Structures are given as structure tokens and as C-alpha cells.
Amino acid sequence: MVMEDSRPADLDGATTEQLCCLIDDGRPCMRPAGNASYGKKIQKTVQQRKLKLELNDKINHSYICDHHKEVIHSLRQIKPRKRPGSDRDSSPEVQAKRGNKTDVNFLQMPVNTLRRYKRHFKLTTKPGISKALLSDAVQRHFKSIPVNEKEILAYFMYMVKHKKSKLDTDTDTHTSLSKPLKFQE
């Protein structure tokens, strides 16, 4: 039984195999080329990840071997597509994942305000700290404060409905607000 070879043939009839078009850490890759092409997306991934791969100028194709294909593919970060309306999800799990986002830019605040915050919450920092480091310490503390959104909203709605302020000195206000508020859904 004779099997036909689909690889390109030289002029003298000997078959030649295309090699990978990459130079890996200064050495040309000697693995057989696969069907994956060294395109712009792959080049971008290689540059971002600072891999020691470059295109071999002596080879006149852009196909890479399966080894390099797998190495590059394993490094690519495939981001899941967002569904329309997915930003509206306010479950605690989703909010915990988004916990890195802070709506307050502490670098824009005056240094005196940051120092008052530090003094009020008794944060420990080095003396003579720069504004950037102080704002970073304040921001870390601010993010760590637990917040019960339902309780705060219920308290806010109660205060608006009864036209009261936290700064009111009426004794009835303090006694009636010391009881836990229930949020009606």
C-alpha cells in the first residue's frame, strides 16, 4: 500500500516540511509548522507578555508550530462578553467582585482633609508621609469599611419622610432612631 505525501516537494522530488516561522530565544524553531498563522493578534500577545519570540526573516511563510500555538494561546486572556443589562446586577456576589472600584478620588482632596480623616479613624502611618501615600492609606481604609446598603437607604428614607436631620438635637429623634429600622421591599 502506497501513501501519498501531501507535503511540498523539491525540484529533485524529495519532500520538504515547512518549519515554524519563529525564532525562540535566539534559536530558530525546528518544529514542523501547523495551520496557525502568526497574525497581528498573536504578535500583540507576544509583545504584551514579553515573550522571547520573533519572526524568522529567512522563512517565507507565517505559520507557527503547534507548540508555540499552545504556549501563546495559554497566555491569552479571553474576556467574557458582557450581556446587555448585566451592569444592573446588584447582587452582593457581583458587588464583591467589583469591590476594587471606588467612586471617591482621594488624590483630589486637600491634604488637611486626608489628615482629618486619618486622625478621626486613628489610622497609623509614617510621619511626614506624602499626599499620594496618605490618600492610598485613606482609600484602603475607606474600602474596608463594611456598608449595609439596605439599612442606610431605610434610614435615609425615614429621615427624608419625617423631614429630620442627623444633626437635630431633639431627644425624641435620638430615642426613636436607636431602634433598628426595617426595610420594606
Side-chain angles (χ1 to χ4, degrees), residues 16-52:
T16 59
E17 189 170 7
Q18 284 186 337
L19 297 177
C20 179
C21 69
L22 296 177
I23 297 176
D24 190 355
D25 200 18
R27 294 188 203 130
C29 179
M30 301 307 289
R31 295 181 187 92
N35 61 354
S37 178
Y38 190 67
K40 290 189 178 194
K41 280 187 179 180
I42 294 177
Q43 288 176 6
K44 185 178 177 182
T45 303
V46 168
Q47 286 176 342
Q48 287 175 343
R49 300 296 179 174
K50 297 179 181 160
L51 297 176
K52 295 179 181 178

Side-chain angles (χ1 to χ4, degrees), residues 1-179:
M1 180 157 87
V2 177
M3 292 186 67
E4 287 190 11
D5 194 0
S6 63
R7 293 180 287 183
D10 277 342
L11 294 174
D12 58 346
T15 60
T16 59
E17 189 170 7
Q18 284 186 337
L19 297 177
C20 179
C21 69
L22 296 177
I23 297 176
D24 190 355
D25 200 18
R27 294 188 203 130
C29 179
M30 301 307 289
R31 295 181 187 92
N35 61 354
S37 178
Y38 190 67
K40 290 189 178 194
K41 280 187 179 180
I42 294 177
Q43 288 176 6
K44 185 178 177 182
T45 303
V46 168
Q47 286 176 342
Q48 287 175 343
R49 300 296 179 174
K50 297 179 181 160
L51 297 176
K52 295 179 181 178
L53 296 175
E54 50 190 72
L55 196 58
N56 191 346
D57 296 335
K58 296 177 184 173
I59 296 182
N60 59 0
H61 64 82
S62 61
Y63 296 110
I64 61 175
C65 63
D66 291 334
H67 168 73
H68 285 118
K69 176 184 170 183
E70 291 300 320
V71 168
I72 294 168
H73 183 71
S74 68
L75 293 176
R76 287 180 65 186
Q77 291 180 344
I78 300 172
K79 297 178 183 176
R81 293 185 180 193
K82 290 184 180 179
R83 290 186 221 141
S86 64
D87 288 341
R88 296 183 200 133
D89 190 1
S90 61
S91 65
E93 295 83 19
V94 172
Q95 288 180 355
K97 289 178 186 175
R98 292 186 205 151
N100 294 339
K101 184 180 178 195
T102 304
D103 294 331
V104 181
N105 187 355
F106 290 99
L107 280 172
Q108 291 181 344
M109 292 187 176
V111 177
N112 289 339
T113 305
L114 297 172
R115 286 184 184 140
R116 280 186 302 193
Y117 183 98
K118 174 187 157 190
R119 193 177 320 121
H120 178 77
F121 287 103
K122 298 180 176 104
L123 301 179
T124 55
T125 60
K126 294 179 182 178
I129 192 169
S130 69
K131 180 180 178 180
L133 292 174
L134 181 60
S135 67
D136 187 42
V138 167
Q139 186 170 16
R140 269 185 277 137
H141 179 265
F142 184 77
K143 284 181 180 179
S144 69
I145 298 172
V147 176
N148 185 344
E149 291 177 15
K150 286 186 177 182
E151 183 179 321
I152 291 171
L153 286 172
Y155 180 73
F156 175 76
M157 291 186 323
Y158 173 84
M159 295 299 268
V160 169
K161 184 176 178 180
H162 296 285
K163 297 181 181 173
K164 297 189 179 189
S165 170
K166 185 178 178 182
L167 302 176
D168 288 342
T169 56
D170 187 14
T171 55
D172 290 340
T173 306
H174 294 298
T175 55
S176 65
L177 292 178
S178 61
K179 299 175 187 172

